[in-house]
Structures are given as structure tokens and as C-alpha cells.
Amino acid sequence: AQRVTQPEKLLSVFKGAPVELKCNYSYSGSPELFWYVQYSRQRLQLLLRHISRESIKGFTADLNKGETSFHLKKPFAQEEDSAMYYCALISGGTSYGKLTFGQGTILTVHP
Amino acid sequence: KAGVTQTPRYLIKTRGQQVTLSCSPISGHRSVSWYQQTPGQGLQFLFEYFSETQRNKGNFPGRFSGRQFSNSRSEMNVSTLELGDSALYLCASSLRAGSNYGYTFGSGTRLTVV
């Protein structure tokens, strides 16, 4: 069975500081991983996906299969980054998969 | 283009009743998934539909069911409601099932069972 673990429920940093939100996964197949973000009073939205190796809003995430991790990083945090962040894994390969979410990390960026 | 639309936004039901939630996916999206979000359990997968067929199901009792119509719109039904069914129910759509393009979520339906 697949599992996604986000060890930090809360994370606080100051504006301009680097931030790293941790995500570890367990899955026997080849994972497809995502980061979703939920800003206050807004819907859950896709931030980035590992397959595209993109940088969105300054955030990047690298899949480390050896450590089974997919940590989200940003070199200089901004106040508008304050939100709930979810790491998610899609299982089933090319089948009809389901998203398995971590419990989420609330990021607060202080001025 | 319009996003994923869920109706109604809020519902209050009594234990033992049944409820139907509706989801309209983004135009052109053929996959619709449903999730339950609670403070204790977080986001949990209910089921996914593609081309009117249920393709995957989570670990929920048979009281939770769904269907998808030919226009890709989906409904979720919960029968014999229990207090523990109180949650935010989210619908997500994607171009295809099991998509690595990611899923676009709706705002959810907040169900309260009293």
C-alpha cells in the first residue's frame, strides 16, 4: 500500500528565509508525485508535479528515489506563501489511480 | 474556462437520511474523482470515474456510491448518514484517469450531519 508522510504539521519561517517542506513516500511502483497548496479560503490547487520538473512561484521539488523523498523548497520565502501544503502520490501506474495525500504542512511566513 | 463546480456548497442533514452531491468537471475533462476531507483523517480518496465507469474505489463502506453521466458530470450519494460522515467532500477532474497532469479540485460541499 502507498503512503505519504509529511513529518511537520506546522512550519514557521521569516520572510526571505529558505524554506523546505518535507515529504516522504512509500510505494512499490514508480511514483508520480505532486505538491498541492491551499491558501486561506481558496480551493486546493496543484502547485507542481515531479514529472514536469518545473518551478512554480519559486518552488522546486526533486524526486529522490533512494531516499523516497519529494521535498518542496524555496530559497526566499514570501508572506504570500503562507498556506497549507499537501504532498500527494498517484498510484496505479497507467491504470486509473488515486491520489494519496499526506496530512499536510501549514506554512507560516512571518514579516 | 470554468473550473470544477460543486453543488450545493453547504448541506445539513439528519442521521439516517441520504444525500446527493453534484460535480461538474472542467469542460473536456473525462475523469472525476471524489475525496473526503476531515480534520482527523485528512484527504481520503473515495472513488474515480472515467467514461461513466468507476475505475477505482477507496476504503469506504458501501453507503458511499457514485455515478458519472455521459457529459462527465458526476454525483456522489451517501445513504443512511452517520455523524462521522460530516466532512468537506471534494471533487476533482482531470483529462484522463490516473493522470500525471494532476487534478483540478472544486471548492467542495460541506456536509454536516446532525
Side-chain angles (χ1 to χ4, degrees):
Chain A
Q2 62 277 355
R3 172 176 281 211
V4 177
T5 304
Q6 293 179 249
E8 302 140 329
K9 191 169 184 177
L10 301 168
L11 184 62
S12 290
V13 300
F14 285 99
K15 178 182 174 181
V19 63
E20 181 180 51
L21 292 89
K22 294 187 180 349
C23 171
N24 290 91
Y25 67 91
S26 64
Y27 179 53
S28 56
S30 182
E32 295 176 16
L33 287 144
F34 307 85
W35 277 98
Y36 280 83
V37 61
Q38 190 167 30
Y39 300 102
S40 179
R41 301 178 193 276
Q42 293 188 27
R43 63 182 67 187
L44 195 62
Q45 55 186 282
L46 178 64
L47 181 61
L48 56 80
R49 46 197 175 107
H50 93 268
I51 198 168
S52 61
R53 301 187 63 80
E54 57 204 343
S55 173
I56 304 293
K57 298 184 179 183
F59 284 98
T60 59
D62 289 318
L63 177 61
N64 186 321
K65 292 187 178 181
E67 296 183 0
T68 60
S69 68
F70 187 56
H71 303 327
L72 184 68
K73 301 176 184 179
K74 185 170 183 176
F76 307 103
Q78 303 299 314
E79 290 178 68
E80 54 265 31
D81 296 329
S82 296
M84 171 75 97
Y85 291 81
Y86 292 97
C87 182
L89 177 153
I90 195 159
S91 58
T94 55
S95 299
Y96 306 98
K98 68 177 186 180
L99 275 170
T100 299
F101 285 89
Q103 290 293 332
T105 297
I106 299 173
L107 172 65
T108 303
V109 181
H110 300 284
Chain B
K1 57 183 177 182
V4 178
T5 304
Q6 292 187 247
T7 57
R9 290 295 306 276
Y10 302 92
L11 267 176
I12 299 176
K13 290 288 187 178
T14 304
R15 269 184 304 174
Q17 287 187 312
Q18 75 164 21
V19 67
T20 299
L21 313 181
S22 179
C23 172
S24 294
I26 289 174
S27 177
H29 283 194
R30 297 172 61 194
S31 168
V32 174
S33 301
W34 289 89
Y35 291 81
Q36 182 195 65
Q37 186 176 27
T38 59
Q41 299 298 317
L43 283 151
Q44 292 187 289
F45 173 80
L46 280 155
F47 27 65
E48 178 176 30
Y49 286 86
F50 182 78
S51 293
E52 302 177 64
T53 302
Q54 187 181 91
R55 300 292 183 168
N56 210 330
K57 192 177 189 307
N59 296 322
F60 280 83
R63 300 184 296 107
F64 291 81
S65 62
R67 58 178 174 168
Q68 187 180 34
F69 302 96
S70 58
N71 61 358
S72 295
R73 191 177 71 84
S74 177
E75 288 183 346
M76 189 190 97
N77 185 276
V78 188
S79 62
T80 320
L81 284 165
E82 301 177 0
L83 295 178
D85 297 333
S86 295
L88 180 67
Y89 290 89
L90 295 173
C91 167
S93 75
S94 186
L95 282 169
R96 59 175 178 87
S99 175
N100 61 14
Y101 289 95
Y103 289 78
T104 302
F105 282 81
S107 297
T109 294
R110 173 76 61 186
L111 172 63
T112 303
V113 182
V114 297

